[in-house]
Amino acid sequence: MKKCNERGIAICNNKGANDTAVAEDALLLMLGCLKSIITGHQCVYDGRQIEVKQASFGVIKELSRCTVGLVGFGDIAKATTKFANALGARIIYTNRTRYAELEEKYNVSYADMDTLLAQSDFVSLHIAVTDDTRGMVNSDFLGKMKPDAYLINTSRGDLVDNSALLNALLENKIAGAGLDVISPEPVAKINILLDERIKDKLVLTPHIAGITNLTVEKIYKKIYENITNYANNQPLTNRVN
């Protein structure tokens, strides 16, 4: 950034281009956890459909009876809020800055981190990795969650202490996790979160949340617009320097 500033080189990002796509994946992971979709799929292949159906009778919770806790309240969190609201969930959020003026618009309530962890059925991560947030989902964080709650991560794997999450799942401190991202990438077979003992407690997608065809279209369209604006000495969109 400093070198670009010194040379007068503009830097722009594609803020908001993947908000809907990633929010869809966050919702997919929440519903996948609630419905035990991965293990259910395998049970049908194993010929145990009726057995599992009977064991699940009256047990499965609907999202409308859940509290979704959003850690961060940027573009993706706001898009996730719209989807969760549509299914009737109660939504709370925590963020460095409280957006009181947006809470009625998005039908959300603010909570401090400890309150959010204690009340949420889903704790969904929507923040960037910084020196302050790297590994923030540690034993203390997970220990403050409800034992029947799920961790959802569509942000970055580096936010999560893998050992802490593994132990929390093995010790039934939380019910499970829905993860689009796992650190480090590429995820190797020896990654401790691929432990067979917790396989039934995980719903995983291979870091595909933000790469839909519409997202790619938005990205290249915005790049083209900014190149054109630059060539015509017009203001740039989402300039960060």
Side-chain angles (χ1 to χ4, degrees), residues 30 68-74 76-78 80-81 91-96 111-114 116-117 120 122-128 133 136-137 141 145 151-155 159:
M30 291 179 200
V68 174
L70 305 174
V71 180
F73 202 61
I76 294 170
K78 291 183 179 74
T80 303
T81 295
I91 306 167
I92 57 179
Y93 79 99
T94 194
N95 197 64
R96 287 182 301 176
D112 60 54
M113 182 68 83
D114 284 355
L116 182 143
L117 295 177
S120 297
F122 291 97
V123 175
S124 189
L125 306 179
H126 299 280
I127 55 176
T133 62
M136 65 176 287
V137 181
F141 183 106
M145 290 174 59
L151 177 72
I152 304 295
N153 190 7
T154 55
S155 291
L159 296 171

Side-chain angles (χ1 to χ4, degrees), residues 134-191:
R134 185 175 286 104
M136 65 176 287
V137 181
N138 54 23
S139 298
D140 182 61
F141 183 106
L142 294 162
K144 294 175 180 178
M145 290 174 59
K146 302 197 303 181
D148 59 348
Y150 298 89
L151 177 72
I152 304 295
N153 190 7
T154 55
S155 291
R156 288 292 182 267
D158 288 335
L159 296 171
V160 178
D161 179 327
N162 288 353
S163 295
L165 179 56
L166 172 63
N167 290 333
L169 293 170
L170 287 173
E171 296 169 12
N172 298 316
K173 291 182 177 178
I174 64 172
L179 309 173
D180 182 53
V181 286
I182 297 174
S183 182
E185 287 196 19
V187 181
K189 288 185 177 182
I190 60 171
N191 191 293

Side-chain angles (χ1 to χ4, degrees), residues 25 28 47 56 67 82 87 95 146 176 214 217 229:
D25 200 79
L28 167 72
S56 303
T67 294
K82 293 179 181 179
L87 294 181
N95 197 64
K146 302 197 303 181
L214 181 56
E217 180 182 321
N229 287 345

